[in-house]
Amino acid sequence: RGAPPTVVVIFGASGDLTARKLIPAVYNLGVDGLLPADFYLVGYGRKPIPDDEFRGLAAEAIKEFSRRELVPAVWDRLAARTSYVAGGYDERPAFDRLAQHLAEIEKQLGRPLQTLFYISTPPSVFAPIIANLGASGLAARYVGEPHQAKVIVEKPFGKDLASARALNATLRGVFEEHQVYRIDHYLGKETVQDLLVQRFANAIFEPLWNRNFIDNVQITVAEEVGVGSRGGYYEQSGALRDMIQNHTMQLLALTAMEPPVSLGAESIRDEKVKLLKAIQPLDLGPNGDVARAQYGAGMTGGRKVRGYLEEEGIAANSATETYAALRLSINNWRWQGVPFYLRSGKRMARRVSEIAINFKRPPGTLFAAGDEFDLAANTLSFQIQPDEGLGVILNAKVPGLETRTQPVKMSFRYATTFGSNTPEAYERLVLDAMVGDGTLFIRGDETEASWRLCTPVLEAWAAAGPQGMDTYPAGSWGPPAAETLLARNGHHWRKP
Ligand code: BG6
């Protein structure tokens, strides 16, 4: 999987994501020998930063955030090929300066480079950047050749269906779809990729993977952290936009889609789109399919924390949800009648992301639930993070002379089998984009299908304002409204 000689240009180079994820990802690819021999990194941002200072900041970022220590031999080589260009995002001439800078690098090197633009800025400047990449001719670098330019677009990809469509149209005006890599970093997580392997490389799951055997599916993406210093961003976003529309829906699509005809990017994305389109519009009425809430004060990790409304940068009457749960019905042959429950929240009891497949109960002819028989429905759970692995809940006989049963857990843990120093999601994704593999990125129609489902919910919530907002104590598993959502079908949330 060799990448051609490449220059990565990061827009938003002095931002948080660049320091926390992007620079460490590039560095670790370097440590693993996965960068092309001719690799360059160019930071672009509004703030004027001398090259040397930018290299210093990058080194600091590696020391603080990389999963591996800074090895001078690797870093020195990368640092020598790292530079910085200052300019505004809507400043046309600055993009000409960038073009000139890239041309100079190529001239010195004596060969052309594939350019990978990474847009990691606040979303308000996505469109001007894309427009300027078009107007300056940068987007058309080496068009039609193997080292044609590409662009990675960070989240959030729009804030509703209309803005996502508009952003797609802006991209289409400048790039071909195959040049565009819309990121959802959950797709780069090792365990998310493993989901496809588990489903399709094993013969025992697929025959059971349908409405005949599965009772309900629960997807949880819970975080222990609160909004922290990101209040300004989060107030405009909320749990549905920040986590459900993208990360959780992607987990759902991979869990529920039909087997793709190949592992190629288009085959997999075709199946995901088909699945997303089969989800029925949500009932937004009083006893409908959605629940939202804000965290109140409480305890996490053994310390007292304040409620969302008391956090920095949050309006006292904020109507932004920090927790959202949905009940989805998928109207296709495989899943009709099987509820899919999705939930995500900040300040929950602990950080855990999992997909739990709850099977139907066996007929109770021999071991009906009762005093001696503590029967559980079988559950297959994919632990996305932390404690990556797979677990199955089975009923087993308790040793002894009388027959008693008890649910037991059989589990496989990544760390035990494979060790724990796995690559971070961004390493995989940056490499895939360099190589030109779009499998783990979101296609334009896919993001629109997901927004189509979520937008009416956002509109209903915006219209209601804070009215009807439930609360949950920080450090809990969510609000009562989310329990009610499942109780209506006789279900309850699994405790991960
Ligand atoms: C981001 C959200 O996309 O994902 C954050 O904007 C969230 O609010 C983060 O904290 C969670 O990612 P991870 O990889 O830590 O689960």
Side-chain angles (χ1 to χ4, degrees):
R1 294 216 320 146
T6 299
V7 52
V8 172
V9 179
I10 302 179
F11 294 105
S14 54
D16 201 47
L17 189 78
T18 303
R20 277 174 190 278
K21 300 290 180 190
L22 307 186
I23 302 266
V26 166
Y27 168 73
N28 278 295
L29 288 174
V31 176
D32 287 329
L34 292 169
L35 292 178
D38 293 317
F39 177 86
Y40 293 80
L41 182 66
V42 176
Y44 183 108
R46 275 186 287 238
K47 207 157 109 196
I49 305 177
D51 285 347
D52 266 352
E53 194 182 320
F54 183 63
R55 290 181 200 122
L57 292 172
E60 285 311 309
I62 294 166
K63 284 183 199 149
E64 193 172 349
F65 300 115
S66 161
R67 68 187 166 92
R68 291 199 187 103
E69 293 200 343
L70 188 132
V71 180
V74 180
W75 171 239
D76 291 350
R77 188 180 156 74
L78 191 58
R81 292 158 175 241
T82 296
S83 53
Y84 185 86
V85 174
Y89 298 119
D90 47 10
E91 191 193 331
R92 225 345 277 286
F95 282 71
D96 293 337
R97 286 203 306 277
L98 175 62
Q100 215 172 6
H101 183 70
L102 298 180
E104 272 158 28
I105 294 177
E106 287 177 326
K107 199 167 144 207
Q108 263 178 27
L109 177 69
R111 62 187 297 185
L113 291 167
Q114 153 175 268
T115 321
L116 177 60
F117 298 106
Y118 197 125
I119 304 183
S120 168
T121 60
S124 56
V125 291
F126 285 5
I129 291 173
I130 296 161
N132 276 325
L133 287 175
S136 60
L138 280 166
R141 292 189 112 227
Y142 307 114
V143 64
E145 295 183 46
H147 46 292
Q148 182 170 3
K150 301 190 174 104
V151 62
I152 298 183
V153 187
E154 254 305 328
K155 66 167 287 222
F157 195 90
K159 60 181 177 55
D160 54 17
L161 179 58
S163 54
R165 275 189 177 143
L167 187 52
N168 273 332
T170 306
L171 280 165
R172 267 198 309 275
V174 173
F175 292 98
E176 302 278 337
E177 177 66 30
H178 67 86
Q179 292 174 277
V180 180
Y181 294 77
R182 294 173 196 76
I183 236 171
D184 182 317
H185 78 281
Y186 267 61
L187 293 178
K189 291 186 190 275
E190 202 52 63
T191 35
V192 176
Q193 295 163 55
D194 186 47
L195 184 58
L196 289 187
V197 177
Q198 294 296 342
R199 267 195 75 186
F200 302 124
N202 293 302
I204 57 172
F205 298 133
E206 198 51 24
L208 306 179
W209 216 254
N210 57 54
R211 64 194 300 272
N212 299 328
F213 298 96
I214 294 177
D215 186 63
N216 69 90
V217 176
Q218 301 186 10
I219 302 181
T220 300
V221 179
E223 295 185 284
E224 202 178 308
V225 293
V227 285
S229 56
R230 294 168 78 223
Y233 155 77
Y234 201 81
E235 273 287 86
Q236 306 304 316
S237 173
L240 193 70
R241 284 193 177 97
D242 189 46
M243 303 292 278
I244 300 271
Q245 183 276 336
N246 36 55
H247 307 323
T248 345
M249 292 291 279
Q250 285 296 318
L251 297 183
L252 165 74
L254 292 173
T255 306
M257 70 179 190
E258 294 300 311
V261 290
S262 78
L263 287 180
E266 296 319 319
S267 302
I268 291 185
R269 300 195 293 187
D270 285 347
E271 294 308 333
K272 280 160 65 191
V273 172
K274 249 168 67 187
L275 190 279
L276 292 170
K277 284 184 174 167
I279 302 173
Q280 295 305 287
L282 294 159
D283 175 354
L284 303 174
N287 286 322
D289 296 327
V290 300
R292 62 172 177 153
Q294 284 171 344
Y295 60 81
M299 295 281 289
T300 51
R303 64 191 178 93
K304 270 193 171 147
V305 294
R306 55 190 173 181
Y308 181 65
L309 297 179
E310 285 83 55
E311 297 273 24
E312 195 188 310
I314 306 303
N317 61 347
S318 168
T320 303
E321 79 287 354
T322 63
Y323 175 100
L326 308 181
R327 175 179 50 201
L328 304 179
S329 320
I330 300 173
N331 196 19
N332 65 14
W333 190 269
R334 187 189 285 264
W335 293 120
Q336 205 199 50
V338 180
F340 280 72
Y341 302 113
L342 269 46
R343 63 174 163 171
S344 181
K346 297 229 181 261
R347 282 278 186 249
M348 294 185 62
R350 63 189 179 85
R351 175 173 182 253
V352 59
S353 296
E354 67 155 36
I355 301 166
I357 315 289
N358 294 316
F359 289 87
K360 292 192 169 164
R361 288 177 181 279
T365 48
L366 298 177
F367 306 104
D371 288 346
E372 314 89 82
F373 302 129
D374 175 12
L375 283 190
N378 300 127
T379 297
L380 169 65
S381 64
F382 295 91
Q383 298 300 138
I384 306 293
Q385 65 184 26
D387 242 349
E388 289 80 356
L390 191 82
V392 186
I393 293 181
L394 302 167
N395 294 302
K397 180 181 172 300
V398 179
L401 298 182
E402 76 277 43
T403 303
R404 286 201 300 123
T405 68
Q406 184 186 305
V408 295
K409 186 168 176 191
M410 192 166 80
S411 50
F412 149 68
R413 294 183 65 221
Y414 264 66
T416 317
T417 307
F418 300 119
S420 56
N421 206 3
T422 39
E424 280 220 29
Y426 277 94
E427 296 173 37
R428 170 73 194 240
L429 295 174
V430 169
L431 180 64
D432 280 3
M434 276 199 289
V435 173
D437 183 350
T439 313
L440 301 177
F441 293 85
I442 300 178
R443 210 166 59 188
D445 52 350
E446 213 179 316
T447 189
E448 289 183 18
S450 172
W451 277 120
R452 193 166 295 120
L453 188 82
C454 294
T455 301
V457 185
L458 291 166
E459 286 169 355
W461 286 353
Q467 210 186 356
M469 177 76 74
D470 208 349
T471 58
Y472 58 103
S476 69
W477 279 111
E483 292 302 332
T484 319
L485 195 67
L486 271 65
R488 273 181 234 128
N489 293 34
H491 294 139
H492 56 86
W493 288 106
R494 183 180 127 86
K495 217 176 199 157

